[in-house]
Amino acid sequence: MAAKEELYAKVTPRRQRQNRPSTIKHGSTLDVLLSMGFPKTRALKALVSTGGKNVQAACDWLFSHLDDPFLDDPLPREYVLYLRPSGPLLQQLSHFWKQSRLSCGKNKAHNIFPHITLCQFFVCADEKVEALSDALQSTVAKWKGQIPMPLPLELYTSSSFIGLFVEEQMAEVLKSFAADFATEAESKADVHVEPHKKQLHVTLAYHFNDSHLPLLEKLAKNINVASGCDWLAVLLSRDIRFANHETLQVMYPYVPQNDDELELLQGDFIFMSSVEQSTASEGWVYGTSLGTGLSGLLPENYVSRADESDTWVVHGSHSLLNCASPSTSGSPVGGLLFDGQLNDSLLDSLMDPSSLAGLCPPMQVSRPTGSPSLSRMRLFVCRHGERMDVVFGKHWVTQCFDCKGRYIRSNLNMPSSLPARNGGHRDYDKDCPITVFGSTQARLVGEALLESHTAVDFVYCSPSLRCIQTAQNILQGLQQETKTKIRVEPGLFEWTKWVSGTCLPTWIPPAELAAANLSVDTTYRPHVPVSKLSVSESYDTYISRSFQVTREILAECKNQGNTVLIVAHASSLEACTRQLQGLSPQNSKDFVQVVRKIPYLGFCACEELGETGVWQLVDPPILPLTHGPNHSFNWREMLMQD
């Protein structure tokens, strides 16, 4: 144990250390890399980092890590042995995973796919990994067919934990299997493996909100533990340096603007530690790229949270049930592996891993096409579309209006015309419109709702022009712009602390919006008139206002329609739904972190549980809308040569 603690102490310092001599003779893959001129330590590191998949994968890894400061550091990876379910049981566990995540949000169990832990994490030097994989294969061959299936599992719940525990007698059998692997690993690879001594189980949920327990328990009871299943003994590894880091995934590419910034490639993973964030300013994080090993600052809204196991590497997966040839290292495991790493988007794959010849493509998530029961109310909350001042800068008004106040667009993404304002065009400074692409985004959402056979009975909207235009385009996509009117509700405006200056925006009155051919209900009397809003309101006031107006809207619509759509701001998705579920408001700091990550046309759905007055977040009837940055193109600067 002292040696292991000493090893962990070496994780933080970023300096090169001397190479260790290799003690194991490797096969042709390593020989090919050595013949190409790669140093042995680098070749071994590339092989274990890609699961020993093939020469091409190892070469790609090496070339992408040329500037990695840890490239020549012999620090080993951490390994663990899990039992992974497959077949119908995996399908049921995957369904539980999705439903619990959608209904109650992510809890600690979601960081790793469904599994039974057979041993503690242990370290293994790169040159010993091939022998370690052989040790697992030998152990599985010895035990093949001796473990009865399905494993007897029993549901257990407590206030903070839900899991499926292996029946005691069978658990002892599995512990004997793990002990044999430990013996083989020490004999063949000279590594110490500590078999799991606690009760063997599949964790379903833990560290969740107390109010979510009844729903999680109900979902867990629907799992048929007697379902057919083959269990796979899977050897996995992770980078020891990032064991306690948060894992993020890159959504959009980013080109660094400064020397201390990190280049982002879409699909890459970023490791982030809270202790390293002191150098990052608001809206930025400091992290390390899985793809390159480089570290630096990156914009927070270009990444999203991922699961810890998304970056793990598979070094062997072997069936305990059948006698087919074991799957090779780097091959798909239960449909979860992609390019040597676990891919949670493939969680529903039920194919026999020993029969997979190549990589599994991502499966499409099916969406409901029918309408819900008429007795169940639904609330949709949607953020507005892309706004002009964010795309073209806060001085866009000065650039697009001439001295006589006439609007002239200077980019195809600017609207061809804008509504006239009694207060003059300077009112657009605080109340900007959406771009042409913003209108397109909104129509796409409306069309998707139409395709899913989802009708909207009532539309409520923040008084901001960008929100009203977004609602109008959603209704156009839904083909409801002539029969459904937008109710402009000032109580849905965002936290007024975020408004610059000493006064609120001057919004276009409903009558003038209607005159500009926007489908606005001019007879609607708002629950919170503009006169009740104040500049720089407290966070508690904003949260209370949002919750109160949402409740009054739902009460107003009850028994008159089934589905209510609120089109407002990024903050509205959290502020209008959290307390509706019976949850306490977050603190302002956590609230801001959530809001920053909500994109244009971010969309969430809430459903009332019968007539109970209890609401829960559910899967929206439409797919998410993803889009990336598109910089301005000037052909003169790019293409004209001196």
Side-chain angles (χ1 to χ4, degrees):
M1 290 299 293
K4 186 174 182 179
E5 290 175 2
E6 182 181 348
L7 177 63
Y8 276 79
K10 297 179 181 179
V11 171
T12 303
R14 300 195 171 192
R15 57 186 180 84
Q16 296 183 352
R17 304 184 185 95
Q18 294 179 349
N19 295 339
R20 297 179 186 173
S22 174
T23 58
I24 295 291
K25 183 178 180 181
H26 290 263
S28 58
T29 307
L30 177 60
D31 293 337
V32 172
L33 292 174
L34 295 177
S35 69
M36 296 170 68
F38 292 112
K40 193 166 191 176
T41 52
R42 291 190 178 188
L44 285 167
K45 186 180 288 289
L47 287 173
V48 299
S49 298
T50 57
K53 190 178 176 184
N54 53 46
V55 172
Q56 184 62 54
C59 286
D60 291 344
W61 187 94
L62 284 164
F63 288 128
S64 65
H65 283 75
L66 286 176
D67 297 321
D68 184 347
F70 278 90
L71 183 58
D72 294 312
D73 194 319
L75 192 69
R77 295 175 68 87
E78 275 192 320
Y79 294 79
V80 70
L81 180 63
Y82 284 164
L83 276 188
R84 288 282 325 281
S86 67
L89 179 59
L90 174 60
Q91 184 182 32
Q92 294 198 55
L93 292 173
S94 302
H95 180 72
F96 171 85
W97 236 250
K98 289 179 180 177
Q99 292 303 310
S100 63
R101 200 163 187 167
L102 289 169
S103 302
C104 305
K106 184 175 180 179
N107 63 67
K108 289 288 186 179
H110 290 122
N111 277 327
I112 305 175
F113 47 82
H115 67 279
I116 296 173
T117 302
L118 292 183
C119 72
Q120 306 298 320
F121 274 95
F122 61 94
V123 294
C124 178
D126 292 347
E127 66 267 22
K128 304 281 189 176
V129 174
E130 184 177 344
L132 183 64
S133 298
D134 290 343
L136 175 59
Q137 187 168 341
S138 299
T139 307
V140 171
K142 175 182 175 182
W143 281 82
K144 181 73 74 173
Q146 296 185 40
I147 301 177
M149 299 290 172
L151 293 180
L153 302 171
E154 182 177 354
L155 178 64
Y156 170 82
T157 64
S158 70
S159 59
S160 60
F161 176 87
I162 300 177
L164 299 173
F165 279 79
V166 182
E167 183 270 329
E168 187 174 351
Q169 186 175 356
M170 182 54 64
E172 292 304 316
V173 175
L174 294 179
K175 288 180 180 179
S176 296
F177 170 82
D180 278 1
F181 167 69
T183 301
E184 286 286 328
E186 187 162 11
S187 173
K188 286 184 164 61
D190 192 26
V191 296
H192 177 70
V193 178
E194 187 71 31
H196 196 62
K197 291 184 171 61
K198 297 180 181 179
Q199 290 178 290
L200 301 186
H201 62 275
V202 178
T203 300
L204 298 179
Y206 75 102
H207 283 193
F208 48 81
N209 191 294
D210 292 345
S211 62
H212 294 155
L213 178 60
L215 180 57
L216 290 171
E217 190 172 17
K218 180 181 177 181
L219 291 171
K221 287 179 179 178
N222 290 331
I223 300 173
N224 180 9
V225 296
S227 298
C229 175
D230 182 12
W231 290 84
L232 311 170
V234 187
L235 182 64
L236 304 118
S237 75
R238 67 184 182 187
D239 193 317
I240 191 173
R241 295 172 295 158
F242 307 117
N244 297 313
H245 286 51
E246 183 177 354
T247 304
L248 308 171
Q249 186 165 23
V250 177
M251 297 184 294
Y252 313 116
Y254 176 75
V255 178
Q257 307 297 312
N258 298 290
D259 292 340
D260 60 351
E261 294 175 8
L262 185 65
E263 181 178 7
L264 300 181
L265 298 178
Q266 189 170 1
D268 190 13
F269 291 93
I270 303 296
F271 299 109
M272 183 190 76
S273 170
S274 57
V275 300
E276 296 177 323
Q277 300 314 305
S278 59
T279 59
S281 57
E282 187 175 354
W284 292 75
V285 297
Y286 186 89
T288 302
S289 163
L290 171 71
T292 65
L294 299 176
S295 302
L297 295 168
L298 57 133
E300 187 176 20
N301 59 349
Y302 278 56
V303 294
S304 63
R305 287 188 179 182
D307 298 335
E308 178 187 347
S309 58
D310 287 344
T311 62
W312 291 4
V313 175
V314 179
H315 299 272
S317 173
H318 307 274
S319 165
L320 296 183
L321 179 62
N322 59 54
C323 297
S325 300
S327 57
T328 59
S329 297
S331 62
V333 179
L336 287 172
L337 188 67
F338 186 78
D339 279 346
Q341 274 139 13
L342 298 170
N343 187 336
D344 201 39
S345 68
L346 308 183
L347 198 58
D348 288 334
S349 177
L350 305 177
M351 301 177 71
D352 180 356
S354 64
S355 67
L356 294 175
L359 298 175
C360 298
M363 298 188 69
Q364 296 296 318
V365 179
S366 60
R367 298 281 169 172
T369 56
S371 298
S373 167
L374 290 177
S375 63
R376 182 170 293 183
M377 284 195 72
R378 288 188 301 179
L379 171 67
F380 298 148
V381 186
C382 182
R383 186 191 178 191
H384 58 76
E386 182 180 80
R387 50 191 289 177
M388 284 274 283
D389 54 354
V390 170
V391 176
F392 298 107
K394 61 183 180 180
H395 300 298
W396 73 271
V397 175
T398 303
Q399 298 165 358
C400 292
F401 286 88
D402 62 18
C403 59
K404 295 182 178 181
R406 292 175 298 193
Y407 170 71
I408 304 171
R409 71 173 180 176
S410 59
N411 189 283
L412 289 177
N413 197 24
M414 293 179 172
S416 57
S417 62
L418 291 175
R421 308 189 74 132
N422 286 338
H425 65 271
R426 297 306 312 190
D427 283 348
Y428 278 116
D429 281 329
K430 285 190 175 182
D431 187 31
C432 71
I434 57 175
T435 63
V436 174
F437 185 53
S439 299
T440 304
Q441 291 171 313
R443 281 195 297 274
L444 283 172
V445 167
E447 290 168 2
L449 289 169
L450 181 65
E451 290 171 5
S452 68
H453 306 286
T454 302
V456 172
D457 300 302
F458 297 97
V459 177
Y460 289 80
C461 195
S462 161
S464 295
L465 179 59
R466 58 188 180 274
C467 299
I468 295 166
Q469 290 178 318
T470 300
Q472 175 79 13
N473 281 279
I474 290 176
L475 287 173
Q476 288 179 1
L478 263 169
Q479 299 179 13
Q480 288 186 217
E481 70 270 27
T482 58
K483 70 175 184 177
T484 305
K485 297 293 184 180
I486 300 168
R487 296 178 172 180
V488 180
E489 175 53 65
L492 293 173
F493 184 60
E494 65 185 345
W495 188 6
T496 61
K497 179 183 176 182
W498 291 336
V499 176
S500 61
T502 58
C503 59
L504 294 173
T506 301
W507 293 300
I508 302 176
E512 294 179 24
L513 292 169
N517 296 319
L518 291 164
S519 302
V520 172
D521 184 352
T522 56
T523 65
Y524 174 70
R525 299 188 64 178
H527 295 278
V528 180
V530 173
S531 60
K532 295 293 184 181
L533 296 179
S534 60
V535 181
S536 298
E537 66 186 337
S538 69
Y539 172 67
D540 290 341
T541 300
Y542 168 65
I543 292 297
S544 176
R545 164 169 64 86
S546 299
F547 178 42
Q548 183 63 29
V549 77
T550 303
R551 286 198 305 179
E552 292 177 3
I553 285 171
L554 293 172
E556 183 175 53
C557 299
K558 197 171 184 65
N559 300 322
Q560 297 186 47
N562 197 43
T563 304
V564 178
L565 169 64
I566 288 176
V567 180
H569 307 271
S571 56
S572 306
L573 275 74
E574 169 80 3
C576 294
T577 64
R578 184 172 179 84
Q579 288 175 275
L580 203 61
Q581 303 168 69
L583 303 176
S584 300
Q586 300 195 78
N587 62 58
S588 59
K589 183 178 179 181
D590 290 340
F591 171 79
V592 170
Q593 292 303 316
V594 170
V595 170
R596 279 179 178 157
K597 297 180 181 180
I598 296 175
Y600 294 126
L601 271 298
F603 192 102
C604 71
C606 256
E607 221 172 58
E608 185 182 22
L609 299 178
E611 298 293 329
T612 63
V614 177
W615 291 72
Q616 68 175 14
L617 285 172
V618 296
D619 195 8
I622 61 173
L623 294 168
L625 174 65
T626 303
H627 51 88
N630 185 48
H631 301 291
S632 178
F633 172 67
N634 187 322
W635 67 270
R636 292 181 183 275
E637 294 179 3
M638 297 283 190
L639 303 180
M640 289 187 69
Q641 304 294 324
D642 293 334

